[in-house]
Amino acid sequence: MLKMFSVSNYRAFRDPITIDFTKVRDYKFNDACIQSNLISKAILYGKNAVGKSNLGYALMDIRSMLLPNHSKIMGDSLGYLNAYSEESAAAFTYHFKINNREIRYYYEKRSATEIQFEELHIDNQQLFMFNFASGEGDFTNLLQYEELKHLNLDHWDNETSVTRYIITNAKLQELSILKDFNNFVSGMAFMETRSSGVAFEGPRIADKGLTRTIIEEDLVDDFTTFLNHAGINISLKKDVKPDGEKTLYFDFARPLEFVKNMSSGTRVLTALYAILRKLDEVSFLYIDEFDANLHFELAEYVLNLLIQKRNCQIFLTTHNTDLMSNKIMRPDCYFVLSFNGIVSVADATTRELREGHNLEKLYQSGEFDRTVSE
């Protein structure tokens, strides 16, 4: 699981901003949000333009370091470095706990594709460090492993990360933790709703498109039941278009093609259905405004479904304060993002929050406006 993440000089984040999943309180309710003494399910609030989407982009940046064929949720043409900063690179720090091993991964990038510096620690011991700008590094500890001695680390292309090179070119046994690390990163996923539809990066959840996968895997009835439970009282059927292609239709007296006629809320639910089916293959899921276009009751329904998924760490953003309730989660799992940083509502007040407190009213009254630096 991800223990902590910090980023600086990236898009909206000039100064370091840190999200810490180790700050677990001793609450005795809603334990499904906690796993292995880490926050496993969390919701992030914040005003417009404070960087909720950017935080998701930043968290997913590690995929570009380790995965050769990662998809891109943000075009390279968009600004990468913070526009107000004169620093030459953005800095990323990830702390993971994987199979009871500790991994700290730090790197700096001048752009979405240009690496400046990389460093990897396992169980508090540096495995290597390399400065791509100067071409200098320290591979002393790395080359102590017999399985890595064949690697050519004298000449570097200054494009591929050292970690990716090791994972790709070594038969890892003693350092099999690196394969587990790579698998976790491969399972990290991001979803957001855009005007053009739903954007997704992560493990493949539908090989041939969402509706075609639903048809070919005979999931029409299951998908219809999901929508019905979510309050969308419709019936669906598969049929053949005039061009011979199978597609999904609303089963009305005069059938309507599902994709062309579904509402924006149903579009979000369709993507969520696909993700929920494959959530066992996702290690970490960030959904930006997960309840966009959803009624507040439907948002709570979806949230409860996500909370039940034990083996996936889930981080959501929303503006829906109805969801800030101890009946659903707990104060150490609700976070507030401001231009000063990220803080859980449990740490944003001197008040000792209990199960009976109305978190929504406290938030709306400004109780959690404390800055991280205070």
Side-chain angles (χ1 to χ4, degrees):
M1 292 178 65
L2 182 62
K3 293 180 61 177
M4 187 183 299
F5 171 72
S6 181
V7 63
S8 63
N9 196 32
Y10 174 81
R11 289 176 64 79
F13 309 121
R14 176 178 179 176
D15 299 318
I17 188 166
T18 300
I19 176 70
D20 189 349
F21 295 105
T22 69
K23 290 191 173 183
V24 176
R25 295 293 193 93
D26 60 349
Y27 297 112
K28 305 301 182 185
F29 56 94
N30 293 332
D31 290 341
C33 298
I34 308 299
Q35 187 174 353
S36 301
N37 206 34
L38 293 172
I39 295 171
S40 175
K41 307 294 184 291
I43 292 183
L44 179 67
Y45 288 86
K47 296 179 180 179
N48 292 327
V50 296
K52 297 187 297 297
S53 299
N54 288 332
L55 181 61
Y57 298 149
L59 279 160
M60 292 299 116
D61 194 88
I62 191 173
R63 291 175 56 87
S64 71
M65 293 289 288
L66 301 188
L67 309 179
N69 298 313
H70 77 289
S71 59
K72 296 180 180 179
I73 54 175
M74 182 185 69
D76 293 343
S77 61
L78 297 177
Y80 189 82
L81 302 182
N82 180 270
Y84 294 99
S85 173
E86 296 181 357
E87 297 293 326
S88 62
F92 301 80
T93 305
Y94 298 81
H95 291 259
F96 296 94
K97 185 176 183 179
I98 300 175
N99 294 338
N100 292 319
R101 304 288 298 275
E102 299 284 336
I103 294 178
R104 179 183 179 274
Y105 189 44
Y106 173 82
Y107 61 86
E108 301 170 4
K109 292 170 70 176
R110 292 187 293 271
S111 70
T113 57
E114 297 175 275
I115 308 169
Q116 177 169 285
F117 182 87
E118 184 182 11
E119 182 178 38
L120 180 65
H121 286 74
I122 299 178
D123 295 331
N124 297 317
Q125 182 182 44
Q126 184 190 78
L127 188 64
F128 73 85
M129 60 79 65
F130 186 74
N131 188 318
F132 287 74
S134 66
E136 299 176 346
D138 184 355
F139 300 117
T140 305
N141 291 329
L142 191 69
L143 296 177
Q144 290 179 357
Y145 293 91
E146 191 67 32
E147 61 203 61
L148 303 182
K149 289 184 177 179
H150 70 284
L151 299 179
N152 183 3
L153 299 171
D154 294 328
H155 302 284
W156 207 252
D157 59 12
N158 279 10
E159 294 181 2
T160 304
S161 77
V162 177
T163 308
R164 183 198 294 182
Y165 177 73
I166 294 169
I167 293 170
T168 303
N169 293 285
K171 294 182 178 180
L172 299 171
Q173 296 179 353
E174 192 174 355
L175 279 174
S176 62
I177 184 61
L178 292 183
K179 292 191 291 185
D180 298 331
F181 172 42
N182 191 65
N183 288 338
F184 187 96
V185 174
S186 297
M188 294 178 69
F190 175 97
M191 172 182 155
E192 70 174 342
T193 302
R194 297 175 177 174
S195 58
S196 57
V198 176
F200 180 82
E201 175 179 350
R204 188 178 296 274
I205 59 173
D207 292 333
K208 302 176 181 179
L210 296 183
T211 55
R212 189 174 174 185
T213 297
I214 288 170
I215 291 171
E216 295 189 359
E217 295 187 10
D218 198 23
L219 295 170
V220 176
D221 289 342
D222 186 67
F223 177 49
T224 302
T225 299
F226 170 78
L227 291 177
N228 292 164
H229 285 167
I232 311 297
N233 295 315
I234 49 90
S235 179
L236 299 174
K237 69 175 184 178
K238 57 184 176 182
D239 209 336
V240 180
K241 296 196 296 185
D243 62 4
E245 180 185 355
K246 290 182 180 180
T247 192
L248 204 57
Y249 286 86
F250 288 103
D251 190 11
F252 299 138
R254 181 175 297 169
L256 296 174
E257 193 172 336
F258 178 72
V259 171
K260 291 182 178 179
N261 293 278
M262 64 180 170
S263 67
S264 54
T266 304
R267 188 182 303 277
V268 173
L269 283 173
T270 303
L272 287 169
Y273 171 78
I275 292 173
L276 285 165
R277 285 193 61 252
K278 296 286 188 177
L279 211 52
D280 288 342
E281 301 173 22
V282 177
S283 56
F284 182 96
L285 175 62
Y286 189 101
I287 308 183
D288 189 27
E289 297 194 27
F290 84 99
D291 55 342
N293 303 311
L294 302 184
H295 184 269
F296 71 90
E297 290 180 346
L298 180 50
E300 184 173 341
Y301 170 75
V302 170
L303 177 57
N304 283 321
L305 288 178
L306 292 170
I307 290 174
Q308 293 169 18
K309 300 296 183 177
R310 289 290 294 167
N311 295 323
C312 179
Q313 194 172 11
I314 298 174
F315 199 18
L316 312 170
T317 80
T318 183
H319 291 287
N320 184 354
T321 57
D322 286 324
L323 299 175
M324 188 181 281
S325 169
N326 284 327
K327 294 180 181 179
I328 304 174
M329 296 174 65
R330 37 191 273 176
D332 51 354
C333 296
Y334 292 109
F335 290 82
V336 178
L337 173 64
S338 70
F339 291 111
N340 297 304
I342 302 175
V343 63
S344 75
V345 301
D347 292 331
T349 177
T350 57
R351 186 193 301 260
E352 188 175 353
L353 297 177
R354 295 299 180 187
E355 188 172 2
H357 278 109
N358 187 319
L359 301 183
E360 180 185 23
K361 286 187 176 180
L362 290 172
Y363 175 63
Q364 292 177 344
S365 68
E367 178 72 22
F368 308 133
D369 288 348
R370 183 186 78 86
T371 62
V372 174
S373 61
E374 287 180 342

